[in-house]
């Protein structure tokens, strides 16, 4: 489907996947006046009768989605991550999570890579707040290939799913042989000195960091963790026991996201030195994504630094 | 105001030029809804509000909340025109080194009274400022601009109920009725009209004007100040993209920036307009 190295935003893959798998007549797609940005307009073009614009009213949209799903439909509700998870949090919690309904939240423009729109639109807390809702599954795909497979898996999964997509075109890392399964981390590269666990657009940086570390004689394992909830405990514990140190990398606040989820698993099962790469409990700002990655330390350099830090603590 | 509003027209055109400059340099941002609000902002910042660039935190100042925060280029233009921020800074809009964020940041920009960008919240904050004014026995007035698409947010109507309930007659809200949101005409996406009947039913003083006519803007603001016991909504009929011929009434200019060439064409149009106003100040 997508070629390795090809730069494409996961939101593009989201829209394309909705159109591709949208033949299933149970599928309904809702959007809140952002269909051109979230790319649900791809689905709208293919299946206009099953596309519903809810207007700029995210809270209402999520509870409407809940209602439709009780009638046997598989309902995707889309907006920017900030408004989907933030504005509609309590609707998701009470109307979707509590009754465990078949609603898929297609949250695009997640993270700092939103860029120029600035802090109000850079959602760095959605994984954290969604993670606290029982029954919720959270998937944060790394590239277009994984995004496509995540949409397919979400359709097949019974129950609420939070799908986190980005605005920025990111390099495709996986080819058509890549296997995606909800709840499963994937070891991308082997290593013995430490493990870098990355999610979303941090995955290519993690792979790059491994190369840099290898030049320094350090052997880093790299795990891709697309599902933040339920988190793959087995692969984390195994990595802790075999490599003895962990660095997590995510485009999210270090509070509440992948880093927190991994820390919870480690501290209860296999405590080892760890460090979290992510935004350090600060709001973002306007700027180009590349510039912001630099400012907020979402890059190869920071992963390498943190890797050295945890190694020193071993 | 006993001229032909020439100064205000000039200011509004300057704000529009800054909208083009800001979004063109940033290669992003929202020109359409900035241009539709430019005349209202020019009136408020250049003629109406009791504000002072030298004392931006004066507790007695009038307040302004841009509830449709994506129109930040027009707000920054108005602040520059009024002397709160240097005009040279406009071109740094949305730059990582700049304080001019994509959406207004009250901590970073002198003259910005509330951080906005998430639709529906600004009007509630404006209600809060108006209520605080009552409780603290202050005479300041609070102004806000909301979008017509923004009115689809339930929170707008929670704020509407609140403002009337607490008789916030020190609150005047402009509704930038430009008929467009992102996915199309507001009536096709999620019809929020009629606005007049809705706000009437919510117990507001409702005025309807041409949002590009300074005489009408002025008259409405004066009527709002005279109205006691209820908040005022000024439904301003506007044109999205107003003042830049190729942007007018085009949905596509909601959130896309002009190229350097388009910026030049638009700026030339606005310069010609300014020249047509004649007479130096
Ligand atoms: C809560 C929220 N949902 C969605 C958005 C994204 N958004 C930004 S502008 C806009 C359309 C606004 O339309 P309107 O209020 O008519 O603004 P105008 O036409 O004056 O630009 C949307 C949906 C947002 N900023 N906040
Ligand atoms: Mg509008």
């Amino acid at each position: 489907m997508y070629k390795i190295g090809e730069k494409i935003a996961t939101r593009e893959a989201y829209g394309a996947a909705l159109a591709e798998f949208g033949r299933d007549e149970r599928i309904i797609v809702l959007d809140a006046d952002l269909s051109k940005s979230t790319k649900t307009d791809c689905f709208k073009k293919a299946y206009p009768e099953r596309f519903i614009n809810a207007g700029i009213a995210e809270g209402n949209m999520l509870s409407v989605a809940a209602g439709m799903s009780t009638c046997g439909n598989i309902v995707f509700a889309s907006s920017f991550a900030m408004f989907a998870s933030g504005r509609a949090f309590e609707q998701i919690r009470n109307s979707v999570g509590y009754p465990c309904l078949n609603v898929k939240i297609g949250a695009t423009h997640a993270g700092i890579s939103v860029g120029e729109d600035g802090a109000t639109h850079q959602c760095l807390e959605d994984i954290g707040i969604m993670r606290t809702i029982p029954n919720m599954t959270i998937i944060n795909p790394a590239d277009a290939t994984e995004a496509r497979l995540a949409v397919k898996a979400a359709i097949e999964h019974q129950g609420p799913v939070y799908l986190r997509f980005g605005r920025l075109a990111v390099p495709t890392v996986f080819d058509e042989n890549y296997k995606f399964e909800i709840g499963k981390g994937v070891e991308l590269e082997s290593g013995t000195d430490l493990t870098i666990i990355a999610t979303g657009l941090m995955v290519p940086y993690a792979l790059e960091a491994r190369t840099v570390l290898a030049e320094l004689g350090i052997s880093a394992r790299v795990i891709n963790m697309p599902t933040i909830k339920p988190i793959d405990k087995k692969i984390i514990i195994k990595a802790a026991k075999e490599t003895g140190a962990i660095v997590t990398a995510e485009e999210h606040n270090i509070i509440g996201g992948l880093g927190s989820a991994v820390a919870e698993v480690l501290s209860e099962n296999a405590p080892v030195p760890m460090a979290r790469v992510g935004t350090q409990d600060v709001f973002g700002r306007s700027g180009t994504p590349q510039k912001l990655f630099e400012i907020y330390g979402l890059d190869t350099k920071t992963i390498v630094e943190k890797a050295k830090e945890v190694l020193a603590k071993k | 105001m006993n001229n032909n509003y020439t100064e205000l027209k000039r200011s509004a055109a300057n704000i529009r030029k800054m909208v083009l400059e800001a979004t063109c340099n940033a290669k992003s941002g929202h020109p359409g809804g900035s241009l539709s609000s430019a005349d209202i902002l020019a009136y408020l910042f250049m003629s109406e509000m009791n504000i002072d660039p030298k004392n931006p935190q004066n507790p007695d100042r009038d307040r302004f909340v841009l509830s449709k925060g994506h129109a930040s280029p027009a707000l920054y233009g108005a602040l520059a025109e009024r002397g709160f921020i240097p005009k040279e800074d406009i071109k740094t809009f949305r730059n990582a080194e700049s304080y001019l964020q994509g959406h207004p940041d009250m901590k970073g920009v002198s003259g910005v009274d509330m951080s906005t960008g998430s639709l529906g919240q600004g009007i509630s904050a404006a209600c809060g400022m108006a209520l605080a004014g009552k409780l603290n026995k202050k005479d300041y007035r609070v102004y806000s601009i909301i979008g017509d698409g923004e009115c689809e947010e339930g929170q707008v109507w929670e704020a509407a109920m609140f403002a009337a309930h607490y008789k916030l007659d020190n609150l005047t809200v402009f509704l930038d009725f430009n008929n467009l949101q992102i996915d199309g005409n507001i009536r096709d996406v999620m019809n929020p009209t009629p606005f007049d009947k809705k706000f009437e039913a919510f117990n507001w003083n409702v005025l309807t004007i041409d949002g590009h006519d300074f005489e009408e803007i002025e008259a409405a603001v004066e009527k709002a100040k005279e109205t006691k016991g209820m908040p005022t909504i000024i439904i301003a009929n506007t044109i999205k993209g107003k003042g830049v011929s190729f942007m007018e009434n085009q949905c596509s200019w909601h959130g896309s920036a002009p190229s350097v060439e388009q910026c030049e064409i638009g700026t030339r149009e606005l310069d010609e307009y300014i020249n047509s106003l004649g007479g130096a100040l």
Side-chain angles (χ1 to χ4, degrees):
Chain A
M1 279 290 293
Y2 299 104
K3 279 193 219 67
I4 289 191
E6 182 189 354
K7 279 199 162 184
I8 179 157
T10 51
R11 63 173 164 144
E12 299 277 357
Y14 170 55
L18 286 176
E20 180 186 350
F21 303 115
R23 254 169 325 215
D24 184 332
E25 294 207 338
R26 293 171 302 167
I27 294 175
I28 309 264
V29 176
L30 303 180
D31 203 295
D33 192 35
L34 290 168
S35 65
K36 292 172 203 154
S37 300
T38 61
K39 301 298 167 191
T40 59
D41 63 348
C42 298
F43 178 87
K44 181 183 174 182
K45 274 184 208 114
Y47 304 102
E49 68 289 352
R50 283 187 277 122
F51 174 84
I52 306 287
N53 204 324
I56 313 170
E58 299 81 6
N60 180 63
M61 174 173 73
L62 261 300
S63 297
V64 167
M68 294 187 97
S69 75
T70 66
C71 303
N73 292 102
I74 300 168
V75 189
F76 282 79
S78 294
S79 182
F80 291 173
M82 188 69 255
F83 312 125
S85 75
R87 188 58 142 265
F89 166 74
E90 202 256 344
Q91 283 82 355
I92 295 173
R93 194 263 188 196
N94 276 327
S95 296
V96 176
Y98 178 41
C100 196
L101 292 173
N102 215 6
V103 173
K104 321 298 170 185
I105 302 147
T108 68
H109 295 61
I112 203 122
S113 57
V114 160
E116 289 83 351
D117 264 353
T120 52
H121 287 54
Q122 292 161 344
C123 193
L124 295 164
E125 43 286 285
D126 52 337
I127 295 177
I129 56 183
M130 286 297 118
R131 220 159 63 79
T132 59
I133 302 176
N135 296 328
M136 186 60 73
T137 293
I138 304 167
I139 309 174
N140 185 38
D143 73 350
T145 300
E146 193 163 64
R148 172 178 175 269
L149 295 173
V151 171
K152 187 165 182 282
I155 293 169
E156 288 157 5
H157 177 85
Q158 180 69 35
V161 180
Y162 183 80
L163 293 153
R164 188 181 202 243
F165 303 110
R167 168 178 187 262
L168 181 71
V170 293
T172 300
V173 259
F174 306 121
D175 62 18
E176 67 272 13
N177 300 319
Y178 180 75
K179 296 257 182 315
F180 171 83
E181 200 182 323
I182 290 178
K184 286 275 185 302
V186 184
E187 184 177 315
L188 301 180
E189 297 289 348
S190 60
T192 50
D193 296 331
L194 83 152
T195 302
I196 305 166
I197 305 178
T199 187
L201 58 69
M202 292 309 291
V203 170
Y205 293 106
L207 291 168
E208 234 174 69
R210 179 179 187 270
T211 309
V212 175
L213 290 166
E215 281 161 17
L216 303 172
I218 301 165
S219 157
R221 180 179 297 182
V222 176
I223 290 172
N224 170 33
M225 195 69 89
T227 311
I228 315 295
K229 189 183 176 184
I231 193 91
D232 187 345
K233 286 186 188 165
K234 251 167 85 184
I235 204 169
I236 297 170
I237 295 167
K238 185 165 177 277
K241 291 198 169 143
E242 290 174 3
T243 69
I246 307 271
V247 173
T248 57
E250 63 194 308
E251 192 198 9
H252 188 277
N253 193 346
I254 53 161
I255 296 176
L258 171 72
S260 293
V262 170
E264 288 158 17
V265 174
L266 290 180
S267 58
E268 286 184 348
N269 301 280
V272 294
M274 84 165 282
R276 293 166 295 162
V277 173
T279 54
Q280 305 291 312
D281 200 24
V282 289
F283 286 106
R285 57 178 300 119
S286 292
T288 61
Q290 284 313 322
K291 187 82 199 168
L292 297 177
F293 291 156
E294 226 176 88
I295 295 173
Y296 292 95
L298 300 174
D299 53 9
T300 305
K301 189 171 136 254
T302 311
I303 298 175
V304 170
E305 276 165 21
K306 293 285 177 192
K308 288 184 196 160
E309 254 176 60
V310 291
L311 281 177
K313 287 186 197 156
K314 251 172 102 169
Chain B
M1 187 143 288
N2 38 20
N3 58 35
N4 261 343
Y5 302 98
T6 309
E7 287 172 53
L8 281 173
K9 286 178 187 168
R10 197 191 314 272
S11 283
N14 284 338
I15 292 170
R16 291 192 162 95
K17 279 166 63 179
M18 288 186 264
V19 167
L20 294 180
E21 188 192 354
T23 51
C24 176
N25 273 293
K27 298 190 178 69
S28 71
H30 302 82
S34 296
L35 294 169
S36 62
S37 291
D39 297 303
I40 297 163
L41 283 162
Y43 182 78
L44 290 175
F45 280 80
M46 303 310 292
S47 174
E48 179 57 38
M49 287 202 299
N50 173 28
I51 46 175
D52 178 4
K54 289 196 207 71
N55 189 10
Q57 294 299 324
N58 178 1
D60 296 320
R61 73 189 186 281
D62 286 343
R63 305 297 203 277
F64 176 77
V65 180
L66 185 66
S67 196
K68 39 169 279 189
H70 57 281
S72 55
L75 175 58
Y76 298 153
L79 290 171
E81 187 69 10
R82 186 70 172 80
F84 279 88
I85 60 173
K87 285 193 178 175
E88 306 87 80
D89 291 356
I90 291 295
K91 61 177 178 302
T92 69
F93 178 54
R94 290 179 165 238
N95 203 300
E97 283 82 35
S98 177
Y99 61 101
L100 297 177
Q101 297 298 299
H103 294 78
D105 168 18
M106 67 181 286
K107 293 194 318 305
V109 190
S110 173
V112 171
D113 290 321
M114 184 66 206
S115 300
T116 53
S118 179
L119 295 171
Q121 301 191 24
I123 183 176
S124 295
C127 287
M129 293 173 188
L131 182 59
K134 297 256 175 211
L135 297 177
N136 299 331
K137 306 209 166 24
K138 297 277 188 191
D139 289 333
Y140 64 73
R141 297 192 61 79
V142 182
Y143 295 92
S144 181
I145 304 180
I146 59 174
D148 48 6
E150 183 179 9
C151 289
E152 293 161 11
E153 282 288 355
Q155 181 166 0
V156 168
W157 302 101
E158 296 176 25
M161 190 160 46
F162 185 96
H165 183 83
Y166 287 105
K167 302 186 170 44
L168 301 179
D169 50 16
N170 51 353
L171 174 68
T172 301
V173 177
F174 283 89
L175 200 171
D176 187 344
F177 194 178
N178 60 24
N179 295 292
L180 298 176
Q181 54 190 112
I182 299 181
D183 279 346
N185 188 293
I186 54 168
R187 290 169 194 77
D188 300 328
V189 177
M190 177 55 56
N191 189 2
T193 67
F195 291 119
D196 50 355
K197 292 203 183 74
K198 279 199 182 71
F199 276 100
E200 260 163 47
F202 275 78
N203 298 323
W204 283 55
N205 176 37
V206 180
L207 305 170
T208 301
I209 62 164
D210 174 347
H212 303 305
D213 182 320
F214 286 109
E215 198 172 343
E216 294 193 21
I217 296 173
E218 178 170 51
V221 168
E222 290 308 317
K223 263 192 217 150
K225 286 196 276 192
E226 286 157 19
T227 302
K228 298 296 166 211
M230 59 197 332
T232 294
I233 180 94
I234 300 175
I235 300 173
N237 288 298
T238 57
I239 292 168
K240 202 156 175 166
K242 171 75 178 178
V244 178
S245 59
F246 56 89
M247 289 189 175
E248 290 193 357
N249 286 317
Q250 300 293 319
C251 228
S252 54
W253 286 106
H254 172 85
S256 45
S259 66
V260 173
E261 206 178 13
Q262 288 166 325
C263 180
E264 277 167 12
I265 297 169
T267 305
R268 211 177 307 136
E269 284 180 20
L270 289 161
D271 279 333
E272 278 164 20
Y273 171 75
I274 291 173
N275 290 337
S276 78
L277 294 172
L281 291 176

